[in-house]
């Protein structure tokens, strides 16, 4: 094949527009994953990218975990889950010795009992939310409190990540209780009027969005009104709990009245069709909310359903069991399954509003009120309103133990269904790579994968109750990867932000391969691992997972080279039992995880590409007879009409037409001679009757 043709076809099937843009679109919606419950993330095939309108996702983001909480009594034991595990009787005794703090975590976060100004935590948060497809952080000031120090740290870290080339969500403020007028005006003057962090502002209807209390004369301490300057600067939306009635008027499902949760124990709300709960704006379904549960005081937890209500609780106020609709069976620990969460997602997806608000990401704590109350179906000497335990909380940020990252992955899966997903890289080109440390032959390989930049930052910050957290495992920042295949071998390439460390280091540049494209087999989906043992700068090892012994076993030595910030290696296809003509693999790089007991060990330590439990997907199809410069015979022909972007296609066989990025533009079944309209000028590849025809459309 001549050089021009190689370049043309490499461009034509580069796969999906994965190239680096100004903010380095890493295309996380093309990544694949399976969570602890066996649920898979929808792919482009399952949920094609939707382009009919813009769909937006916002999430409630808390910054109230103040540095001063480091001074709470140490050692820190303010975790309701651990308290009730050790002393179930404490749930009936407000003065039990284990209750010693003014507020409590419902459980332990994956990143520990962190404080809001920890830059390492912020980076992990922003990366996870961007990967999920979250567009905007809704910042909490609903109690009239300004978290200036926390916001300043958050915004500076987000701006730093942007400057590194990462995509980050935008920001929006929300005021309601306390003195919402004074709080809103202060935010406006400090951030917007002074034009601070404008690159982070979230716009809605052409102006920065601000969520507020539209009528502060009721149930607030405000004595004034919002200024004309404030009102004219923002797109304003009223937002509060989705009550059927509020302040004497119908609230849920009305014009410009957004909800941050639906009052589902009120049958006036629960009986409404999903679209009737959506806030409207000028006739459009504008906003709906999705929450993992309601307030703990309402007894609507993560396992609640409209028809079965809240399950029976045990001596730790957790469900004994509950029915999971999509499994069709009763399960133990139902709080791990996101039953309430999925029902709200299903309703929102059916209504398809312009904006889905998710509540919440990282609230974690709630005050304990030591006055008698009806709580957990009983008269109790104390109560919690917002968070209580693993059943009664709205947190989506991953937890340590418990249900791990189930709720995060469930959110990812549903955002994919809401917005759709882009295809992963696919090729019809063979590329023979020589493993010699030169790397030039990789230039022709355009199937490229990207990862977050700057995610090897070290951690050194305080936590609650005298805790101090450190993490110095960040080492090689993996930013770019490639894969290539020929008749005999599959080759992999990785590039880091700076010079690679020595291969003698711990768990150095591990490559995990899912060769059967089945995430349910092997070690969390991976049958093979490269670099478990590195022999030299010229040779490394391929290991295979033994499912019987639960260990990695040496399979073969394979060639590898690395120099400066580049690494390449090659594996014979026969070792992976891969078909060179047609197939797919999932793969993942990981550097310096402290241990390899579970896939979640790749989430916090070192670097993983792609992030957390996600993997890249690489597929190929070499089954075509050939690419023809021109092709025209009695049974098959294609040529432009000269009218717009129409072509005449003569075929009596099924056909598929691809654009230059490898996207499927249209398919059909030939009826002889037909006119096919294409979306724009450019190069197209038409596959029909065993031939792939190249056609330039003016």
């Amino acid at each position: 094949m001549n050089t021009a043709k190689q370049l043309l076809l490499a461009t034509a099937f580069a796969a999906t527009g994965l190239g680096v843009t100004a903010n380095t679109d890493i295309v996380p919606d093309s990544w694949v994953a399976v969570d602890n419950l066996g649920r898979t993330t929808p792919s482009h095939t399952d949920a094609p990218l939707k382009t009919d309108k813009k769909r937006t996702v916002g999430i409630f983001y808390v910054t109230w975990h103040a540095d001063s909480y480091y001074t709470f009594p140490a050692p820190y034991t303010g975790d309701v889950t651990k308290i009730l595990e050790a002393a179930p009787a404490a749930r009936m005794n407000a003065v039990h010795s284990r209750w010693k703090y003014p507020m409590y975590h419902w459980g332990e976060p994956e990143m520990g009992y962190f404080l809001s100004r920890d830059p390492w935590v912020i980076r992990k948060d922003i990366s996870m939310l961007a990967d999920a497809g979250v567009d905007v952080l809704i910042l909490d000031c609903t109690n009239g409190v300004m978290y200036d120090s926390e916001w300043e740290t958050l915004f500076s870290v987000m701006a730093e990540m942007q400057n590194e080339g990462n995509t980050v969500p935008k920001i929006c403020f929300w005021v309601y209780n306390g003195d919402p007028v004074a709080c809103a005006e202060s935010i406006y003057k400090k951030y917007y009027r002074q034009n601070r962090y404008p690159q982070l502002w979230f716009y809605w209807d052409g102006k920065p969005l601000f969520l507020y209390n539209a009528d502060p004369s009721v149930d607030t301490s405000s004595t004034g009104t919002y200024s004309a300057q404030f009102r004219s600067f923002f797109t304003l939306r009223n937002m509060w709990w989705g009550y059927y009635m509020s302040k004497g008027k119908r609230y849920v499902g009305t014009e410009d009245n957004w909800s941050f949760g639906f009052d589902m124990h009120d049958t006036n709300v629960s009986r409404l069709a999903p679209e009737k709960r959506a806030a409207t704006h000028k006739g459009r379904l504008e906003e709906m909310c999705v929450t993992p549960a309601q307030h703990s005081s309402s007894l609507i937890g993560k396992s609640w359903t409209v028809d079965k209500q809240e399950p029976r609780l045990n001596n730790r106020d957790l469900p004994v069991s509950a029915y999971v609709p999509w499994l069709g069976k009763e399960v133990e620990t139902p709080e791990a399954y996101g039953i309430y969460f999925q029902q709200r997602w299903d309703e929102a997806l059916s209504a398809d509003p312009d904006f889905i608000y998710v509540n919440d990401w990282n609230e974690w704590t709630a005050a304990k009120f030591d006055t008698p109350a009806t709580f957990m179906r009983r008269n109790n000497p104390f109560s919690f309103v917002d968070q209580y335990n693993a059943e009664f909380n709205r947190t989506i940020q991953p937890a340590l133990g418990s249900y791990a990252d189930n709720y995060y992955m469930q959110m990812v899966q549903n955002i994919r269904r809401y917005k759709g997903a882009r295809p992963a890289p696919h090729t019809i080109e063979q590329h023979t790579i020589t493993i010699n440390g030169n790397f030039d032959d990789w230039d022709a390989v355009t199937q490229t994968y990207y990862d977050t930049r700057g995610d090897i930052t070290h951690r050194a910050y305080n936590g609650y109750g005298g805790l101090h957290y450190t993490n110095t495992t960040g080492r090689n920042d993996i930013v770019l990867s490639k894969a290539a295949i020929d008749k005999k071998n599959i080759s992999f390439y990785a590039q880091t932000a700076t010079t690679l460390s020595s291969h003698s280091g711990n768990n150095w540049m591990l490559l995990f391969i899912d060769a059967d494209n089945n995430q349910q087999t092997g070690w969390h989906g991976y049958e093979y691992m490269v670099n478990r043992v590195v022999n030299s700068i010229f040779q490394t090892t391929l290991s295979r997972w033994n499912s019987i012994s639960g260990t990695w076993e040496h399979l073969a030595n394979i060639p590898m080279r690395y120099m400066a910030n580049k690494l390449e290696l090659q594996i014979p296809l026969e070792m992976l039992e891969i078909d060179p003509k047609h197939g797919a693999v999932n793969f993942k790089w990981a550097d310096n995880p402290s241990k390899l007991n579970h896939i979640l060990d790749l989430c916090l330590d070192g670097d993983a590409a792609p992030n957390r439990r996600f993997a890249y997907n690489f597929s190929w199809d070499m089954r075509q007879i050939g690419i023809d410069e021109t092709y025209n015979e009695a049974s098959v022909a294609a040529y432009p009409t000269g009218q717009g972007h129409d072509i005449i296609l003569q075929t009596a066989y099924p056909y598929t037409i691809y654009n230059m990025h490898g996207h499927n533009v249209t398919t059909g079944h030939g009826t002889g001679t037909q006119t096919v309209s294409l979306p724009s000028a450019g190069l197209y590849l038409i596959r029909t009757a065993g031939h792939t025809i190249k056609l330039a459309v003016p």
Side-chain angles (χ1 to χ4, degrees):
M1 185 180 291
N2 62 52
T3 303
K5 190 166 186 178
Q6 280 185 318
L7 179 60
L8 186 61
L9 291 176
T11 303
F13 274 76
T16 63
L18 293 181
V20 178
T21 61
N23 62 351
T24 315
D25 181 2
I26 61 178
V27 198
D29 52 322
S30 70
W31 300 347
V32 299
V34 60
D35 67 16
N36 281 348
L37 299 177
R39 301 175 298 190
T40 59
T41 50
S43 67
H44 173 73
T45 302
D46 306 316
L49 187 67
K50 299 178 183 179
T51 58
D52 57 313
K53 70 172 185 177
K54 181 173 177 58
R55 292 170 173 83
T56 301
V57 176
I59 196 166
F60 186 56
Y61 190 89
V62 160
T63 54
W64 67 31
H65 303 292
D67 281 1
S68 60
Y69 297 153
Y70 173 74
T71 63
F72 275 15
Y76 182 66
T77 57
D79 183 319
V80 173
T81 294
K82 294 178 181 178
I83 289 172
L84 296 186
E85 283 176 349
R91 69 194 181 106
M92 309 288 287
N93 184 354
V95 294
H96 193 282
S97 60
R98 291 184 180 270
W99 299 122
K100 61 179 69 173
Y101 300 95
M103 62 183 184
Y104 294 81
H105 284 79
W106 68 260
E108 184 172 3
E110 181 184 68
M111 293 183 281
Y113 303 104
F114 62 85
L115 301 177
S116 291
R117 296 186 66 193
D118 186 337
W120 187 86
V121 172
I122 293 171
R123 280 184 169 269
K124 296 292 185 185
D125 280 349
I126 299 306
S127 178
M128 279 190 277
L129 293 171
D131 293 346
V134 171
D135 301 288
V136 53
L137 309 183
I138 309 299
L139 299 176
D140 174 45
C141 23
T142 54
N143 293 315
V145 178
M146 300 274 288
Y147 303 100
D148 288 323
S149 297
E150 288 77 15
W151 292 340
E152 198 65 35
T153 302
L154 173 66
F155 301 158
S156 63
V157 171
M158 292 174 69
E160 187 177 77
M161 293 180 70
Q162 272 189 328
N163 291 337
E164 292 165 351
N166 297 302
T167 298
V168 304
K170 305 300 184 182
I171 60 169
C172 167
F173 294 91
W174 174 28
V175 303
Y176 201 87
N177 288 322
D179 189 344
V181 172
C183 190
E185 294 287 348
S186 295
I187 292 168
Y188 165 59
K189 292 173 184 176
K190 181 166 185 175
Y191 292 103
Y192 293 94
R193 201 163 74 180
Q194 295 186 37
N195 200 39
R196 302 194 66 222
Y197 302 103
Q199 74 275 30
L200 298 179
W201 298 353
F202 176 73
Y203 282 76
W204 193 251
D205 281 355
K207 296 180 180 180
L209 177 66
F210 203 103
L211 302 174
Y212 77 140
N213 185 336
D215 182 9
S217 65
V218 180
D219 295 332
T220 78
S221 61
S222 292
T223 56
T225 59
Y226 302 103
S227 67
Q229 294 91 338
F230 172 85
R231 289 184 174 276
S232 65
F233 188 85
F234 295 102
T235 293
L236 296 170
R237 294 290 186 269
N238 188 43
M239 187 161 82
W240 196 233
W241 191 250
Y243 295 112
Y244 189 74
M245 300 288 292
S246 179
K247 300 181 181 180
K249 296 181 290 185
R250 168 76 184 270
Y251 186 82
V252 68
T254 59
E255 186 80 356
D256 292 346
N257 288 320
W258 288 20
S259 297
F260 75 93
F262 292 129
D263 194 28
M264 295 297 288
H265 77 279
D266 182 348
T267 55
N268 290 315
V269 176
S270 62
R271 289 174 181 171
L272 289 172
E275 64 272 14
K276 296 299 183 181
R277 293 185 210 138
T280 59
H281 181 71
K282 296 182 179 179
R284 294 181 62 86
L285 299 183
E286 187 175 52
E287 185 263 358
M288 286 187 75
C289 58
V290 173
T291 63
Q294 291 191 189
H295 301 82
S296 56
S297 57
S298 71
L299 203 72
I300 295 182
K302 292 185 169 182
S303 307
W304 185 94
T305 61
V306 173
D307 56 338
K308 296 183 181 297
Q309 302 290 293
E310 184 64 29
R312 183 167 62 93
L313 305 178
N314 64 17
N315 66 353
R316 290 176 290 142
D317 289 329
L318 294 173
V320 174
S321 64
Y323 181 79
V324 181
W326 59 90
L327 292 179
K329 65 178 183 180
E330 193 100 356
V331 301
E332 297 179 352
T333 63
E335 65 272 16
Y337 286 76
I339 299 169
Y340 183 94
F341 199 29
Q342 192 57 50
Q343 289 190 341
R344 303 292 80 74
W345 269 113
D346 290 344
E347 292 165 351
L349 293 173
S350 70
D352 194 25
D354 297 337
F355 191 110
I356 290 180
Y357 172 90
V358 183
N359 190 80
D360 63 72
W361 177 246
N362 60 341
E363 195 168 0
W364 285 108
T365 60
K368 174 173 170 280
F369 293 96
D370 288 334
T371 54
T374 300
F375 183 63
M376 299 290 115
R377 295 195 183 108
R378 62 179 179 265
N379 294 323
N380 215 60
F382 65 87
S383 64
F384 289 84
V385 174
D386 291 296
Q387 325 280 324
Y388 177 45
N389 61 13
E391 169 69 4
F392 298 100
N393 72 83
R394 301 187 296 269
T395 306
I396 296 169
Q397 188 190 52
L400 188 65
S402 184
Y403 35 69
D405 61 350
N406 285 2
Y407 282 85
Y408 171 67
M409 296 307 299
Q410 189 174 4
M411 180 177 72
V412 171
Q413 293 152 16
N414 283 287
I415 292 176
R416 293 258 188 111
R417 295 183 182 104
Y418 176 55
K419 294 184 176 184
R422 288 170 287 182
H426 174 81
T427 186
I428 61 169
E429 276 277 274
Q430 291 187 352
H431 291 280
T432 297
I433 303 296
T434 302
I435 306 301
N436 57 10
N438 189 10
F439 304 108
D440 287 350
D441 41 10
W442 286 101
D443 293 342
V445 178
T446 55
Q447 291 76 41
T448 308
Y449 305 82
Y450 298 99
D451 186 51
T452 307
R453 289 177 174 267
D455 53 357
I456 58 169
T457 303
H458 290 183
R459 183 184 194 183
Y461 210 84
N462 292 335
Y464 275 73
L467 292 168
H468 184 78
Y469 293 103
T470 60
N471 188 310
T472 59
T473 59
R475 185 173 61 188
N476 293 309
D477 187 3
I478 307 162
V479 296
L480 183 151
S481 308
K482 292 186 178 186
I485 192 168
D486 62 16
K487 294 180 180 179
K488 295 182 178 180
N489 302 296
I490 186 167
S491 304
F492 295 93
Y493 168 89
Q495 184 174 312
T496 53
T498 58
T499 300
L500 280 158
S501 65
S502 169
H503 67 266
S504 61
N506 173 68
N507 287 335
W508 181 83
M509 293 300 291
L510 304 175
L511 175 63
F512 296 91
I513 302 171
D514 171 13
D516 63 3
N517 201 30
N518 182 348
Q519 298 172 71
Q520 306 290 345
T521 60
W523 184 79
H524 300 281
Y526 301 103
E527 299 84 33
Y528 301 94
M529 176 168 56
V530 179
N531 287 339
R532 187 172 69 94
V533 175
V534 181
N535 296 332
S536 70
I537 62 172
F538 306 107
Q539 186 187 80
T540 189
T541 61
L542 175 68
S543 300
R544 180 166 53 196
W545 179 253
N546 185 321
S547 59
I548 297 175
S549 64
T551 58
W552 292 101
E553 297 179 347
H554 176 80
L555 180 62
N557 295 325
I558 59 173
M560 182 269 292
R561 295 286 192 282
Y562 71 96
M563 183 177 296
N565 67 332
K566 300 176 181 179
L567 179 155
E568 61 181 354
L569 58 88
Q570 190 170 83
I571 307 169
L573 296 179
E574 62 183 5
M575 289 185 184
L576 305 182
E577 300 179 8
I578 286 176
D579 183 348
K581 294 182 179 180
H582 176 250
V585 298
N586 300 320
F587 69 97
K588 181 181 191 66
W589 293 94
D591 181 70
N592 205 25
S594 299
K595 55 186 182 297
L596 291 173
N597 297 329
H598 192 278
I599 191 68
L600 293 177
D601 292 332
L602 307 183
C603 295
L604 299 184
D605 290 345
D607 191 21
N611 297 319
R612 296 189 63 83
R613 64 166 75 228
F614 293 104
Y616 298 125
N617 178 262
F618 172 55
S619 62
W620 60 92
D621 189 349
M622 313 298 179
R623 295 176 298 181
Q624 75 279 5
I625 290 176
I627 304 290
D628 301 286
E629 290 291 346
T630 59
Y631 191 85
N632 194 332
E633 62 177 33
S635 61
V636 179
Y639 50 88
T641 65
Q643 301 295 320
H645 307 307
D646 293 348
I647 65 169
I648 297 295
L649 177 60
Q650 180 177 316
T651 182
Y653 302 95
Y655 63 85
T656 303
I657 303 178
Y658 300 90
N659 67 12
M660 63 183 297
H661 298 297
H663 295 164
N664 183 330
V665 173
T666 185
T667 59
H669 195 295
T671 57
T673 300
Q674 54 261 306
T675 300
V676 180
S677 297
L678 298 175
S680 62
L683 176 72
Y684 291 88
L685 297 179
I686 305 167
R687 186 173 291 175
T688 184
H691 290 268
T692 303
I693 307 166
K694 181 178 66 182
L695 183 66
V697 177

